[in-house]
Amino acid sequence: MHDRVSGRPNGHAALAFFDDQHPPAGDFLADVLDGFSRQPKQLAPVYFYDAAGSAIFDEITQLPEYYVTRTELAILDRIGPELATLAGPGAVVIEPGSGSSVKIRKLLDSLSDPASYVGLDISGSHLEAACLEIAAAYPELQVGAICADFTQGLDLSHLPLEDGRRVIFFPGSTVGNFEPEGARQLLAGFRQAMRPGDAVLIGTDRVKDPARLIAAYDDAQGVTARFNLNLIHRINRELDGTIDPDGLSHRAVWNADQSRIEMHLVADQAQEFNVAGRTFQLREGESIHTENSHKFTQESFTSLAESVGFNVRSTWSDDADLFSLHWLEPTAKA
């Protein structure tokens, strides 16, 4: 059941529409209990981003070792005129995840008279705040919002969108946080929602020297370690956890077979702890696996995109081939 999406609904007066698809909220407790019951133990990275975690991640993006954000922004600066040509005038920009306002503003500023911006996120309050900021900054732009779980596909058919080319913007190599099959399903969901002529602009982090990758995820100042351990503090605070964070060490590992960086919290010594009354044990040296970040070659990403019915029309990278942006268009037959 969708809420009314036209005529400026009450409570969202600055937005052209707010489409609440009532996505089910993640169950933090159930997911943590399930993750700690597995061997090896694991936690879902979606729970990194409480207020404290989001603030720490903003610090990470400024670190000298963390090249991803500044490299992607530099590519966006450089290719702006090409993007304007590819998108054409009156484009409708759709952003699943509604992340960094810096990136979306660079894209919007580069396009020729974009008609609409549509943010999409599972958190209604975060989404509304982000979209209202865009609406205030771009008063001539139609700005709408969809509260939904974009990993389950996109439903755009009922929305009062302008007629221009739709460009799904998915920066930051977020696609790399999904397992390979999950990434394929994500892109297939994007493809399913698209019309002929629409496009996806997507960022991917490149395979590179493992030492550089590990440094980006285990920085000298320990900011990424704080980010990883913040998840433990959140469990202790919100779920009556008794985990000793001082007994855990952050570790970043390059898994060459899976082409990914893995983040772990490793027990410095054995400890027993509770979460919501359930008791768990960590052996000395045992790992809690908290995140994967898959890296791509041009060939591996092209293969992924083509497997779900996309043509990689253009790819742009920095001079050192650290990061790439890709322009994908649906093939005639998915």
Side-chain angles (χ1 to χ4, degrees):
M1 177 73 70
H2 302 293
D3 286 357
R4 192 164 68 92
V5 295
S6 59
R8 302 168 108 74
N10 290 335
H12 307 284
L15 301 181
F17 59 85
F18 188 97
D19 180 26
D20 191 348
Q21 299 184 12
H22 305 289
D27 191 329
F28 186 28
L29 175 58
D31 289 345
V32 167
L33 294 177
D34 175 66
F36 280 150
S37 299
R38 294 172 178 261
Q39 288 297 333
K41 292 180 173 62
Q42 62 188 53
L43 293 171
V46 66
Y47 297 113
F48 277 135
Y49 297 96
D50 64 347
S54 296
I56 299 170
F57 184 74
D58 285 343
E59 290 183 56
I60 289 173
T61 65
Q62 302 301 315
L63 292 169
E65 299 96 330
Y66 193 78
Y67 56 85
V68 175
T69 303
R70 63 175 174 269
T71 304
E72 185 173 33
L73 288 171
I75 295 170
L76 282 169
D77 274 336
R78 191 184 83 235
I79 68 173
E82 292 177 75
L83 294 177
T85 299
L86 285 166
V92 175
V93 179
I94 300 163
E95 186 182 18
S98 293
S100 164
S101 66
V102 176
K103 292 178 187 176
I104 189 58
R105 290 179 190 218
K106 277 195 183 295
L107 177 58
L108 291 172
D109 289 346
S110 72
L111 299 181
S112 301
D113 298 317
S116 305
Y117 168 77
V118 181
L120 198 153
D121 198 81
I122 198 168
S123 168
S125 57
H126 165 84
L127 173 68
E128 181 178 12
C131 290
L132 285 172
E133 285 187 9
I134 295 295
Y138 297 87
E140 301 305 313
L141 197 65
Q142 180 201 53
V143 177
I146 308 171
C147 184
D149 181 356
F150 65 81
T151 68
Q152 302 304 306
L154 298 183
D155 180 6
L156 308 175
S157 59
H158 61 291
L159 298 176
L161 298 177
E162 299 290 337
D163 292 332
R165 170 171 288 166
R166 296 175 186 174
V167 178
I168 296 175
F169 183 47
F170 201 59
S173 202
T174 303
V175 68
N177 294 130
F178 291 83
E179 293 302 305
E181 180 56 25
R184 198 192 72 79
Q185 291 177 4
L186 176 77
L187 291 183
F190 290 174
R191 172 65 183 84
Q192 195 67 28
M194 297 171 72
R195 310 162 305 174
D198 290 344
V200 177
L201 179 62
I202 185 170
T204 60
D205 199 9
R206 299 289 291 264
V207 172
K208 56 185 68 66
D209 178 4
R212 182 156 199 172
L213 284 167
I214 290 170
Y217 290 82
D218 192 7
D219 60 279
Q221 297 177 52
V223 180
T224 312
R226 281 198 289 119
F227 177 70
N228 206 3
L229 284 163
N230 180 67
L231 185 50
I232 300 301
H233 292 294
R234 184 180 179 191
I235 291 169
N236 286 346
R237 184 175 61 251
E238 298 182 22
L239 304 179
D240 294 324
T242 62
I243 309 166
D244 178 12
D246 294 331
L248 299 172
S249 293
H250 167 73
R251 187 171 298 167
V253 178
W254 171 244
N255 184 330
D257 289 340
Q258 301 293 327
S259 194
R260 71 191 187 196
I261 281 282
E262 299 175 359
M263 291 210 312
H264 296 261
L265 292 168
V266 180
D268 299 322
Q269 63 270 326
Q271 66 167 290
E272 182 175 281
F273 62 89
N274 295 326
V275 175
R278 287 266 302 274
T279 301
F280 300 93
Q281 273 134 32
L282 270 171
R283 302 181 309 277
E284 182 178 350
E286 186 177 0
S287 162
I288 304 169
H289 189 170
T290 56
E291 186 179 50
N292 293 320
S293 183
H294 293 82
K295 309 305 174 185
F296 297 89
T297 63
Q298 181 65 40
E299 294 74 21
S300 68
F301 183 74
T302 297
S303 176
L304 171 64
E306 290 179 347
S307 75
V308 296
F310 281 114
N311 172 48
V312 183
R313 175 165 174 178
S314 296
T315 294
W316 305 272
S317 298
D318 58 292
D319 290 342
D321 276 339
L322 299 177
F323 193 90
S324 294
L325 279 161
H326 312 268
W327 184 274
L328 312 181
E329 294 181 352
T331 54
K333 293 183 179 180

